Amino acid sequence: TMKVLNIEVEPKAFAAGAALTTFIVTQTMLTASTKTATGLPYKTTSAIMCQEVIKFAFAAIYWYNFDYKKQKNDGLQNFNIKEFLMYSVPGLTYALQNSIVYFAIAILGPPTFQVFSNLKIITTAVLFRFILPNRGLTIIQWLAVVLLFTAMVISKISVFSQSGEEAGAWASKQELIFGCGLLVVNSTLSAFSGVFNEWLIKKIDPEAPLQFKNMQLYFFGCVLNFFGNILQDAPGTDSGFFTGFSPVVWIIILNNAALGISVAYIMKYANNVVKCFTGAVAVYIATYLSSYFFGEVIDLAFMCGVVVLTVALYLYMGDHNKVLQQSAKPVQKSAPASIDLVEKGESKKETR
């Protein structure tokens, strides 16, 4: 193990957290850098479809070389159309999520996007509370959810405190409300798709290789984004599939594909504490880089909100929740010692 901020962390967990932070910050910073006065100059559905094609190719190559050739159960034995079509559900929600992320980053900017993207914690908490009560939260996690919402309000309180006479005040409020609305939709889709995809992986043919299941998911991602690309064209126009693509856009595509591919492996090594610090560090780095490269003004209220967010993430993801969940489980009472002795005595009599 190694120590980071006086906390013991496995080297693999540290590397996984560093990789995840890099992917997340790169995604937000580069996407924001491509924004123009009229929005994003390229078709987001084209970019997302390229991401899905790369992920599908990776999953297919991995499955063929490490599952199809070497394992008895390669997933083909129990393959059927009904289960295959089920992957269209998370495929559709992921396609919508990926499109929303592009526009939310462009509207809100990297720092605000990083803070408000944690809305998915709140929507997931609500989903678990009402749909999956057996996976309920601890009291500390509910406190973290309240703090998380508080952090978001504090971080942008300067926008809502502006008077209507100030230049751009109403426009800033509209952008913030619209961007946050997008992230609320995105977070709801994220919670639903996460639960549904977990069910497909763990309950539907659980012995099938993970990459075989990923191939089916990415296939629908490619198909749905292909039709989305057609719909994104204005009536009577044909802007071309790769219109507006630049070297930076291709780097965004490769980065996002790598993030999607590696997230399962990252989560394998990154424990909850590492994931907590990853989310917090990504906010701090994106805030600093946005201030340096884009000249974005970071006020005291925003930094206070980020600090509260860091505390909320730790309370929500910390290992103390496991202790609380274990203590909340009913303990089976053992039989009284006198009864146990009587049973032993009677068993002795029977054996004599």
Side-chain angles (χ1 to χ4, degrees), residues 189-258:
L189 290 172
S190 176
F192 171 76
S193 58
V195 171
F196 195 91
N197 199 35
E198 182 181 344
W199 176 74
L200 286 174
I201 291 173
K202 294 182 178 180
K203 301 298 182 181
I204 303 299
D205 192 12
E207 299 301 320
L210 176 62
Q211 294 304 332
F212 180 73
K213 296 190 172 189
N214 281 343
M215 284 169 56
Q216 299 174 70
L217 177 63
Y218 299 150
F219 171 80
F220 282 106
C222 294
V223 172
L224 292 168
N225 280 289
F226 172 78
F227 286 109
N229 185 274
I230 296 173
L231 294 174
Q232 196 173 356
D233 278 326
T237 64
D238 183 13
S239 57
F241 188 86
F242 296 110
T243 298
F245 273 42
S246 64
V248 175
V249 175
W250 281 111
I251 294 173
I252 293 172
I253 290 169
L254 292 173
N255 176 80
N256 292 352

Side-chain angles (χ1 to χ4, degrees), residues 42-300:
Y42 51 91
K43 295 169 72 174
T44 55
T45 49
S46 296
I48 297 167
M49 183 176 173
C50 290
Q51 293 169 202
E52 296 301 309
V53 169
I54 292 171
K55 291 192 289 185
F56 178 84
F58 174 86
I61 292 170
Y62 186 100
W63 171 77
Y64 181 76
N65 287 285
F66 296 98
D67 296 321
Y68 180 74
K69 285 185 176 181
K70 297 182 179 180
Q71 291 187 2
K72 292 182 179 179
N73 182 14
D74 53 20
L76 293 174
Q77 292 86 344
N78 299 322
F79 177 81
N80 64 73
I81 296 298
K82 181 181 177 181
E83 292 177 2
F84 170 66
L85 291 175
M86 287 183 183
Y87 285 91
S88 64
V89 177
L92 175 61
T93 56
Y94 284 134
L96 294 172
Q97 283 177 247
N98 291 330
S99 295
I100 289 172
V101 165
Y102 273 93
F103 292 108
I105 292 173
I107 293 169
L108 296 173
T112 305
F113 172 82
Q114 289 293 355
V115 170
F116 280 79
S117 63
N118 287 287
L119 275 166
K120 61 180 175 285
I121 292 177
I122 297 176
T123 54
T124 303
V126 173
L127 183 69
F128 283 173
R129 173 66 180 82
F130 293 103
I131 300 180
L132 300 170
N134 60 316
R135 293 182 64 174
L137 305 182
T138 65
I139 187 65
I140 290 181
Q141 285 178 313
W142 280 114
L143 173 62
V145 169
V146 174
L147 280 176
L148 187 63
F149 180 77
T150 305
M152 294 174 187
V153 174
I154 293 172
S155 67
K156 302 309 292 183
I157 197 169
S158 59
V159 175
F160 289 105
S161 63
Q162 290 176 338
S163 62
E165 291 78 18
E166 292 183 51
W170 178 239
S172 298
K173 291 178 184 178
Q174 282 185 311
E175 282 195 350
L176 178 59
I177 293 170
F178 181 64
C180 291
L182 286 177
L183 286 181
V184 168
V185 174
N186 187 65
S187 299
T188 305
L189 290 172
S190 176
F192 171 76
S193 58
V195 171
F196 195 91
N197 199 35
E198 182 181 344
W199 176 74
L200 286 174
I201 291 173
K202 294 182 178 180
K203 301 298 182 181
I204 303 299
D205 192 12
E207 299 301 320
L210 176 62
Q211 294 304 332
F212 180 73
K213 296 190 172 189
N214 281 343
M215 284 169 56
Q216 299 174 70
L217 177 63
Y218 299 150
F219 171 80
F220 282 106
C222 294
V223 172
L224 292 168
N225 280 289
F226 172 78
F227 286 109
N229 185 274
I230 296 173
L231 294 174
Q232 196 173 356
D233 278 326
T237 64
D238 183 13
S239 57
F241 188 86
F242 296 110
T243 298
F245 273 42
S246 64
V248 175
V249 175
W250 281 111
I251 294 173
I252 293 172
I253 290 169
L254 292 173
N255 176 80
N256 292 352
L259 175 60
I261 291 169
S262 63
V263 69
Y265 301 99
I266 288 171
M267 294 310 171
K268 178 181 179 180
Y269 296 109
N271 56 28
N272 281 333
V273 175
V274 172
K275 285 185 276 186
C276 161
F277 282 105
T278 295
V281 169
V283 177
Y284 286 108
I285 294 176
T287 300
Y288 172 76
L289 293 178
S290 294
S291 177
Y292 184 81
F293 287 107
F294 304 140
E296 191 161 334
V297 178
I298 307 300
D299 57 18
L300 180 61

